[in-house]
């Protein structure tokens, strides 16, 4: 990756990181936090799985019909409450919770009866208690006298950030005389043998078998004497009021209801919390890992959509698709993965901010690059071809097509070590002169410079304009590049750097070519196996020490006969040998030496032992011919053919 690419990716990464940080802070704003809570509530209320009505719990309610049987409505008749305890004790109830505050006297005899019954009740019992500002000093003193310390359970309910919706189990309150009085659910759980630590946690709401059936059996207390004992035996029974205007609360389940159903009685809320602790369940809520991971993924998605370089409409379409996937996935995950809660507000903010910031950065970058791209395009394609395309744009298919083309790859031998030990500015000036010369040669043969890769050049013939003679042009261009590079290497500036040989690879074959980036970020380039083969042909120069290596395909396609065979190479990952040739100048090809080389190669290809003597004679005539030396070494190593198996790319 280039330094520019690394810088761009670093900017997009920073944008994503800032977007995540902002979203995690912004989601703590009360309004946004409330919206996130509502979205959790909506999933709980609409997507939770129904369950059979609980058989281990029951709720006895003091309703309007029950109150009508007594001379006064409030406080609830305490003799009747004592009678309820008598019946539940006799029926073998597992445990009882009385959801009533005994903070003032009523009729002395009835008060005394209930007070005594609380102390003599044989089963686990919890009685509502409150402290702090919710009761006066006289009320607290009366409650402390009426309800023994070991029976108290704080009945307060905890609302969410919006202040009105009950979502949390209270942990308890510190008593006036020291110590912690647990909340009702924790007090009940401990009395039933569950070792649970008092802490504020979200309520995991229970659900009945259908919308008309509550999760717990709810019975009017007025009929306490007529109910079968089996209805209460070994059950946790909660006793409280169910009145239209008293002790009713908006909850995660009821906030989406209308009318009387919009609020839940306090005793039913406590029943949900008690059931949760008895079952050891954890409520659906956003875990810390998810709270960070999903905004991070959303922010990366927003930056990545912009970094893809696709058209603006597609960018925003893809961003909206990501947002839709987040929300649909958030609801689907809750239903499919047992109440898994995915945050929605923070990731949405992170995606939107990341997209906006990345778009701003991209817009600024594109403004600076637009003119440069316009100027640079003509530097990669022959001006003659550019003029032709202006007049005949239909000749260039930007959408992509498969086409026969020819390819040239060049590379400077030993350039890496040269670059490491050279002055960067001087080296850059030398390379610019070198590239200018290479490009002129390519343009003279109507080729297109597709890319510069370090010190390498990649040229294409047969695109963007179709050329029936692209193979011939590529072969002729390769020789011309070799002549230019050989002369350039002898220049004073190149000699000062000790510039190495320019190695050239030429190949022809089909590839897909078209606009593979975005139209605004023009990248007209070929891809395919033929392109990869051309690159590997250039690299095989190193094996025989040649400068211009060509495949048999392009030698045959060009009709050029001025070449000598090098060998049949089996490349890594291939099974079919690739016949390679060294391109020669016509005078060299017509020499007696090359004729003798061709005959020696034929003998080696046939496995004739006479090949060794023929190649040895050639080496004596031209010891500097690295190709002949390579074959001599192969023969000394026992090879008796022209097949060369490459161990690496």
């Amino acid at each position: 990756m280039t330094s520019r690419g690394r810088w761009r990716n670093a900017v997009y990464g920073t944008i994503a990181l800032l977007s995540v940080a902002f979203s995690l802070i912004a989601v703590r704003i009360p309004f946004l936090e409330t919206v996130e809570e509502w979205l959790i509530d909506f999933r709980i209320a609409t997507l939770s799985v129904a369950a059979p009505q609980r058989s281990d719990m029951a709720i006895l309610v003091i309703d309007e019909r029950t109150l009508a049987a007594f001379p006064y409505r409030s406080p609830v008749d305490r003799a009747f409450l004592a009678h309820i305890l008598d019946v539940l004790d006799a029926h073998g109830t597992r445990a009882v919770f009385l959801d009533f505050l005994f903070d003032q006297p009523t009729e002395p005899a009835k008060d005394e009866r209930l007070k005594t019954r609380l102390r003599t009740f044989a089963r686990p019992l919890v009685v509502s208690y409150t402290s702090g500002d919710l009761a006066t000093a006289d009320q607290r003193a009366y409650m402390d006298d009426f309800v023994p310390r070991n029976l108290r359970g704080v009945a307060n309910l905890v609302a969410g950030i919006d202040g009105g919706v009950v979502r949390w189990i209270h942990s308890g309150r510190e008593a006036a005389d020291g110590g912690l009085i647990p909340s009702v659910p924790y007090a009940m759980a401990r009395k039933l043998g569950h070792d649970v630590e008092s802490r504020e946690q979200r309520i995991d709401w229970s659900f009945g078998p259908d919308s008309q059936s509550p999760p717990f059996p709810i019975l009017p207390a007025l009929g306490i004497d007529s109910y079968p004992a089996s209805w209460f035996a070994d059950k946790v029974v909660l006793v409280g009021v169910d009145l239209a205007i008293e002790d009713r609360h908006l909850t995660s389940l009821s906030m989406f209801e209308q009318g009387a159903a919009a609020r839940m009685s306090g005793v039913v809320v406590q029943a949900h919390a008690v059931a949760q602790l008895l079952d050891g369940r954890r409520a659906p809520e956003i875990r810390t890992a998810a709270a960070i991971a999903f905004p991070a993924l959303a922010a990366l998605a927003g930056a990545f959509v912009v970094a893809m370089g696709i058209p603006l409409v597609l960018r925003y379409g893809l961003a909206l698709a990501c947002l839709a996937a987040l929300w649909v996935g958030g609801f689907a995950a809750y239903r499919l993965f047992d109440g898994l809660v995915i945050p929605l507000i923070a990731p949405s903010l992170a995606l939107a901010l990341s997209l906006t910031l990345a778009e701003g950065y991209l817009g600024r970058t594109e403004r600076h690059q637009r003119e440069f791209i316009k100027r640079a395009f003509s530097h990669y394609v022959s001006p003659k071809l550019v003029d032709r395309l202006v007049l005949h744009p239909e000749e260039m298919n930007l959408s992509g097509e498969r086409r026969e083309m020819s390819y040239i790859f060049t590379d400077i031998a030993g350039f890496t070590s040269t670059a490491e030990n050279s002055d960067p500015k001087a080296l850059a000036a030398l390379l610019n002169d070198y590239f200018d010369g290479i490009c002129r040669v390519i343009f003279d043969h109507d080729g297109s410079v597709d890319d510069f890769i370090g010190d390498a050049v990649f040229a294409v013939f047969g695109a963007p304009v179709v050329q029936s003679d692209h193979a011939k042009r590529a072969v002729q261009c390769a020789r011309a590049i070799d002549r230019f590079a050989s002369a350039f290497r002898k220049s004073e500036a190149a000699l000062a750097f000790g510039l190495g040989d320019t190695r050239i690879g030429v190949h022809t074959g089909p590839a897909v070519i078209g606009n593979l980036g975005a139209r605004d970020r023009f990248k007209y380039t070929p891809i395919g196996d033929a392109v990869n083969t051309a690159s590997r042909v250039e690299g095989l120069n190193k094996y025989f020490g040649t400068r211009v290596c060509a495949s048999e395909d392009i030698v045959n396609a060009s009709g050029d006969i001025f070449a000598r065979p090098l060998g049949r190479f089996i490349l890594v990952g291939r099974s079919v040998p690739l016949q390679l040739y060294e391109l020669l100048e016509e005078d060299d090809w017509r020499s007696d030496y090359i004729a003798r080389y061709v005959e020696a190669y034929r003998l080696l290809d046939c496995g004739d032992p006479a090949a060794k003597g023929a190649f040895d004679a050639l080496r004596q005539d031209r010891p500097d011919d690295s190709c002949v030396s390579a074959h001599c070494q192969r023969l000394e190593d026992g090879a008796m053919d022209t097949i060369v198996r490459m161990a690496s790319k």
Side-chain angles (χ1 to χ4, degrees):
M1 182 182 294
T2 65
S3 58
R4 179 176 296 180
R6 288 192 293 270
W7 168 255
R8 182 194 63 184
N9 291 343
V11 171
Y12 284 131
T14 302
I15 286 173
L17 186 62
L18 291 174
S19 300
V20 172
F22 174 82
S23 67
L24 293 178
I25 294 172
V27 81
R28 293 302 178 188
I29 297 173
F31 171 74
L32 295 178
E33 190 171 359
T34 298
V35 174
E36 188 73 87
E37 290 285 358
W38 287 349
L39 290 169
I40 296 174
D41 291 341
F42 186 77
R43 278 172 277 183
I44 292 172
T46 59
L47 299 176
S48 295
V49 179
Q53 194 175 67
R54 294 187 71 106
S55 60
D56 61 338
M57 295 179 65
I59 300 176
L60 275 175
V61 294
I62 307 293
D63 54 14
E64 292 293 346
R65 290 181 56 200
T66 305
L67 291 180
F70 305 114
Y72 48 86
R73 292 177 58 88
S74 180
V76 175
D77 189 284
R78 290 177 181 170
F80 181 66
L81 295 178
H83 177 67
I84 289 176
L85 292 177
D86 291 339
V87 174
L88 296 179
D89 199 2
H91 287 342
T93 302
R94 184 182 177 195
V96 176
F97 163 55
L98 289 181
D99 191 20
F100 303 94
L101 286 177
F102 302 114
D103 58 355
Q104 57 183 301
T106 62
E107 300 174 69
K110 293 181 178 181
D111 291 347
E112 188 60 31
R113 182 185 175 192
L114 178 59
K115 184 176 178 181
T116 301
R117 196 67 184 94
L118 295 179
R119 287 159 174 77
T120 59
F121 191 68
R123 308 190 181 278
L125 174 65
V126 174
V127 180
S128 282
Y129 183 86
T130 189
S131 61
D133 297 334
L134 298 179
T136 65
D138 290 340
Q139 287 175 315
R140 286 197 297 272
Y142 189 87
M143 281 190 293
D144 290 344
D145 177 66
F146 200 95
V147 181
R149 174 69 176 269
N150 65 319
L151 302 184
R152 299 170 191 170
V154 174
N156 303 62
L157 300 176
V158 184
I161 187 67
D162 46 11
V165 182
V166 173
R167 299 186 178 94
W168 303 86
I169 299 176
H170 201 291
S171 60
R173 286 186 180 275
E174 185 176 350
D177 56 352
L180 180 73
I181 301 175
S183 64
V184 169
Y186 285 112
M188 288 290 289
R190 291 172 186 169
K191 283 184 176 291
L192 292 171
H194 293 263
D195 185 17
V196 288
E197 178 185 358
S198 294
R199 63 182 180 87
E200 195 170 285
Q201 61 174 301
R202 187 184 290 273
I203 299 175
D204 184 23
W205 303 98
S206 300
F207 290 83
D210 54 64
S211 60
Q212 304 301 318
S213 304
F216 316 99
I218 299 178
L219 307 169
L222 188 61
I224 184 68
D225 293 319
S226 61
Y227 299 139
S230 60
W231 286 14
F232 303 106
D234 201 32
K235 292 186 179 181
V236 176
V237 180
L238 297 90
V239 186
V241 299
D242 184 15
L243 303 173
I245 59 174
E246 293 184 29
D247 193 26
R248 302 194 71 85
H249 309 272
L250 197 62
T251 69
S252 298
L253 299 185
S254 60
M255 65 179 297
F256 300 101
E257 302 289 345
Q258 300 294 326
R263 293 183 178 272
M264 185 183 294
S265 63
V267 68
V268 176
V269 175
Q270 301 287 12
H272 282 275
V274 170
Q276 172 181 343
L277 296 182
L278 295 183
D279 294 343
R281 289 182 276 119
R282 187 175 179 181
E285 59 183 325
I286 300 172
R287 307 292 188 250
T288 302
I292 298 174
F294 280 94
L297 290 174
L300 288 173
F304 180 72
V305 164
V306 177
M308 289 173 66
I310 57 179
L312 182 64
V313 173
L314 291 180
R315 287 203 295 270
Y316 279 92
L318 186 56
L320 288 175
C322 291
L323 192 63
L326 168 69
W327 282 66
V328 172
F331 281 82
Y334 183 88
R335 186 60 182 263
L336 297 176
F337 299 104
D338 194 26
L340 174 64
V341 178
I342 293 174
L344 298 177
I345 298 302
S348 299
L349 290 174
L351 190 150
L353 182 60
S354 178
L355 182 72
T356 301
L357 293 177
E359 281 288 352
Y361 168 72
L362 178 63
R364 177 180 178 275
T365 303
E366 288 184 339
R367 284 193 298 273
H368 286 286
Q369 291 180 344
R370 191 170 292 118
E371 289 303 319
F372 168 78
I373 293 173
K374 290 179 180 179
R375 293 192 305 269
F377 185 81
S378 62
H379 295 169
Y380 291 92
V381 178
S382 165
K384 183 166 62 174
L385 293 183
V386 173
D387 293 340
R388 180 172 175 176
L389 288 173
V390 170
L391 295 175
H392 304 284
E394 69 279 359
E395 293 188 9
M396 182 171 65
N397 185 353
L398 295 181
S399 61
E401 62 176 326
R402 190 170 182 82
R403 183 187 295 185
E404 288 284 339
M405 293 168 287
S406 296
Y407 320 95
I408 292 179
F409 277 90
T410 74
D411 182 64
I412 301 175
F415 181 78
T416 300
S417 58
T418 299
E420 290 177 348
N421 301 306
S422 303
D423 175 66
K425 291 184 178 180
L427 182 62
L430 179 71
L431 271 182
N432 285 336
D433 291 340
Y434 170 81
F435 285 142
D436 283 344
I438 295 286
C439 289
R440 281 196 302 271
V441 173
I442 294 171
F443 291 164
D444 287 345
H445 292 81
D446 290 337
S448 300
V449 178
D450 184 88
D451 206 356
F452 295 103
I453 310 168
D455 62 294
V457 179
F458 172 34
V460 180
F461 294 80
V465 174
V466 175
Q467 297 166 324
S468 59
D469 59 346
H470 57 82
K472 183 177 181 179
R473 290 176 182 273
V475 168
Q476 292 175 345
C477 181
R479 284 199 183 92
I481 290 175
D482 182 51
R483 290 192 292 268
F484 163 77
S486 296
F488 185 85
R489 193 170 60 253
K490 297 173 183 177
S491 66
E492 183 178 349
L495 289 172
F497 280 94
L499 201 65
D501 289 336
T502 295
R503 295 186 295 234
I504 305 165
V506 197
H507 180 58
T508 191
V512 174
I513 189 164
N515 181 13
L516 301 181
R519 191 172 296 271
D520 291 339
R521 289 194 164 195
F522 197 87
K523 183 60 177 177
Y524 188 74
T525 188
I527 58 171
D529 182 66
V531 179
N532 297 332
T533 300
S535 175
R536 296 173 76 173
V537 167
E538 180 276 314
L540 291 173
N541 279 294
K542 290 182 286 187
Y543 187 86
F544 282 117
T546 53
R547 295 199 306 269
V548 188
C549 193
S551 68
E552 183 178 35
D553 292 334
I554 197 163
V555 170
N556 292 339
S558 67
D560 192 305
I561 61 173
F562 307 127
R564 66 170 173 174
L566 295 176
R568 292 178 291 158
F569 286 78
I570 298 179
L571 305 180
V572 176
R574 307 287 179 88
S575 58
V576 179
L578 178 67
Q579 176 70 59
L580 296 183
Y581 291 82
E582 180 186 17
L583 297 183
L584 303 173
E585 296 293 346
E586 183 178 354
D587 291 343
D588 291 336
W589 181 81
R590 294 187 183 279
S591 67
D592 177 67
Y593 178 81
I594 294 301
R596 291 166 53 204
Y597 172 89
V598 172
E599 175 60 20
Y601 183 88
R602 186 191 66 78
L603 293 172
L604 179 60
D605 196 39
C606 295
D608 193 324
K612 187 175 188 308
F615 273 108
D616 286 342
L618 289 170
R619 181 164 58 178
Q620 289 179 0
D621 289 351
R622 290 190 185 179
D624 60 339
D625 188 339
S626 58
C627 177
V628 170
S629 297
H631 279 303
C632 288
Q633 184 62 52
R634 292 184 67 250
L635 286 163
E636 291 172 5
D637 292 339
M640 282 302 297
D641 56 29
T642 59
I643 295 178
V644 180
R645 299 181 181 274
M646 301 303 294
S648 64
K649 293 184 178 183

